[in-house]
Amino acid sequence: MKQLTPLAQDYIGRFDTALQSLPGHDNPGITALRKSGLETFSKLDFPNHRIEEWRFTNLNALTKGITDDVLAEPIARSEAFDAHIIFTLVNGQIDLGNSVLDNLPEGMRLTSLATELAKGRTELLETEAAENRSVVALNTAFMEDGFVLELDENVKVDAPILIRFVSNGGSPTNARHLRNIVHLGAGAEATLVEEHVSNGGHAYFSNPMTKISLEEGAKLHHYRLQNESKTAFHLSMVDCDIKDGAFYDNFTLSLGARLSRNEISADILGSGATCALNGAYLMRDKQHCDTTTLTRHLVPENDSRQIYKGVLDGESRGIFQGKIHIAEDAQQVAGDQLSKALLLSDRATVACKPELEIYADDVKCSHGATSGELDEDALFYMQSRGIQEDEARKILITAFLTDVIDEIETEAVRTYFAKIATDWLEGV
Amino acid sequence: MLEIKDLHAEVGGKEILKGLNLTINAGEIHAIMGPNGAGKSTLSYVLAGRDGYEVTKGSVLYKGQDLLDFSPDERANMGIFLAFQYPVEIPGVASATFFKTAYNAQRKYRGEQEVDAMEFLKLIREKTNELGIKDDMLKRPVNVGFSGGEKKRNEVLQMALLEPDLMLLDETDSGLDIDALKIAADGVNRLRSPERAGLVITHYQRLLDYIVPDFVHVLADGRIVKSGDKSLALELEEKGYTEMSAA
Ligand SMILES: Nc1ncnc2c1ncn2[C@@H]1O[C@H](COP(=O)(O)OP(=O)(O)OP(=O)(O)O)[C@@H](O)[C@H]1O
Ligand SMILES: [Mg+2]
């Protein structure tokens, strides 16, 4: 048998000890679940480039083992997003001092996974399917904590709910395996804003997994900011089940991490349901950002759409893999996908792999992928009016991002993300 | 104001301007006519500082300074404005935003206070009214989906806004209906003053009925081959370039 990667060996070696202190350790069901996760992970190891879905993202730098020796300059934080409900996790543990949870509307619960498991709510994890995704299996084995958001039927929460995942240096394993659970009852509505940020330039492995289920007619805006330390690894997964008439939209703004992968898997299980996956990634230096989506239309009459836009500077690399699967009986389905990348340097690269897997015949699908450089003619035109070149470049990059940022329906979030993008541009 | 001496310039390794001489004094309007491919746009781009237009010989003095030392935005800020033969579309950038950015960039260069959105709107409304241009184009992205004529009007509007000292118009009249032609001419004439100058590239004598030039030049094969007063334009219209060059 092939030798496991050093990091996998490390995880397997310390599993038994870790188990004693992980949430739910006194619950046989959860322990069994973790063990099965570890078993799967031990068989699979971390994904390598021979696995089709991981062809473009090489985890070698992670799997040889992280050392917390690289301290880049701290990330300049944009003015924080102003929210009334805040749930903060620091190094994978809930930080109540920096959370605001006393004003929750009736019918809404926002707690930590560890707390819920301690209460014996093992059903939260019962939907866990047999997994062949090794990073998910690893997360199952080692999940520490996370947030649990539950909305009862028809509960509509207007104010954005902010979840902050903060990483500081100094935790012994430098890894955060987070498991988050979101359940919206029929007709419930919420806006969820996740921030993945760090204080300082520590190297660490951030591995958040979020499981979302939306009952009939529920509506969730899910906005994510990935602004991890520039030396960190970020492998995130979002799994979402969308029932009849429900609406899910996800916007992920990625600008941090040395290597990041943003994996979203949406199952459309109802008619009249809509799934919109959008995002922007802004990369420089040697950053690597992978966006991998799987949208499965499993029943008739629903639609999905995707727009991802990337701005790549330095020697950075962007990956977009988007698969739309339409099951045999899923007639009258529409699926659109667009991926665009703007290359600001000769050494920046992008790889796009759109995939349509269609087994129904009455469907409308489209996909497009483009990459290009800034329009020289437009740059000269602006300069000829007195606008300096760097300013002109910023205007053009902002314009490139405008339509995808406009997909963010919640104004406060749109403004916040636009500001972060503008701040990023100061470094171009 | 502008003194071009023995100007040689290459585009894509090909020599297009082959020893061009031209002097424009403050207060003067010069017209340049000439066959397709003669190098008229090339001259305008060289003056505006476009990348890829390489001056291999000669000199250009503008207000006594070596113009070729400056970047395109510096030249604009020094008072040079080029109305493009083919104005560029910029998707995603609203015209009003673009104009305001340019206007403020030039104010900043001159050490003046930048104007805010309200002030700017008032100013641009004045200009559109003066020129009889509909201001609904302000909300649209720069030149995107504009008709040929609308793009040209848009150039004139920008010129009116930026009030340059040296106006360079590259076939601004091409594709304009007669009303728009008058607007364009009006835009130039309003700026005409003893301190300013202009270079108007055109194929049609018609424009020169509205913008009456002090001098008319024929540019052929990268050189000024003939110069005269406005009657030269009429003569050209009658005889065509071939006969004129032979003469
Ligand atoms: N990038 C380029 N590479 C090679 N040749 C070029 C390039 N750009 C322009 N030219 C050539 O330079 C010559 C002059 O072009 P220019 O646009 O200056 O002509 P013009 O006098 O403005 O013509 P028109 O009246 O048609 O506008 C033409 O022969 C053109 O084909
Ligand atoms: Mg031309």
Side-chain angles (χ1 to χ4, degrees), chain A residues 108-130:
Chain A
M108 165 181 167
R109 287 171 299 288
L110 179 57
T111 56
S112 91
L113 180 73
T115 314
E116 294 307 291
L117 293 183
K119 279 196 237 157
R121 291 193 60 198
T122 54
E123 87 278 4
L124 287 173
L125 299 171
E126 255 161 25
T127 54
E128 185 86 31

Side-chain angles (χ1 to χ4, degrees), chain B residues 140-162:
Chain B
R140 293 169 56 185
V142 181
N143 291 322
V144 177
F146 286 23
S147 75
E150 286 169 341
K151 286 181 182 168
K152 297 299 179 73
R153 289 180 199 223
N154 203 8
E155 297 293 284
V156 176
L157 176 59
Q158 290 173 55
M159 189 173 77
L161 176 71
L162 298 172

Side-chain angles (χ1 to χ4, degrees), chain A residues 54 133 236-239 261-265 290-293:
Chain A
W54 288 84
R133 290 180 289 175
S236 78
M237 279 119 9
V238 173
D239 281 7
R261 172 150 158 139
N262 162 34
E263 199 174 310
I264 304 171
S265 167
D290 174 335
T291 301
T292 295
T293 66

Side-chain angles (χ1 to χ4, degrees), chain A residues 375-378 380-389 391 395-396 399 402, chain B residues 50 72-73 76-77 81-82 84 90-93 98 102 105-106 143 155 158:
Chain A
D375 181 351
E376 290 290 334
D377 291 345
F380 172 63
Y381 188 64
M382 289 200 253
Q383 280 184 276
S384 79
R385 287 350 181 199
I387 302 170
Q388 285 182 11
E389 188 182 350
E391 176 72 13
I395 292 172
L396 287 185
T402 297
Chain B
R50 184 169 200 153
D73 48 290
N77 285 316
F81 180 92
L82 169 62
F84 283 53
I90 316 180
V93 180
F98 173 58
Q106 297 212 4
N143 291 322
E155 297 293 284
Q158 290 173 55

Side-chain angles (χ1 to χ4, degrees), chain A residues 89 107 213 227 292 332 340 349 363 368:
Chain A
L89 289 137
S213 48
N227 199 4
T292 295
Q332 308 209 343
K340 283 190 172 186
T349 54
V363 300

Side-chain angles (χ1 to χ4, degrees), chain B residues 77-103:
Chain B
N77 285 316
M78 288 157 72
I80 294 182
F81 180 92
L82 169 62
F84 283 53
Q85 182 175 2
Y86 305 107
V88 180
E89 300 191 2
I90 316 180
V93 180
S95 298
T97 312
F98 173 58
F99 296 167
K100 178 167 157 267
T101 309
Y103 184 71

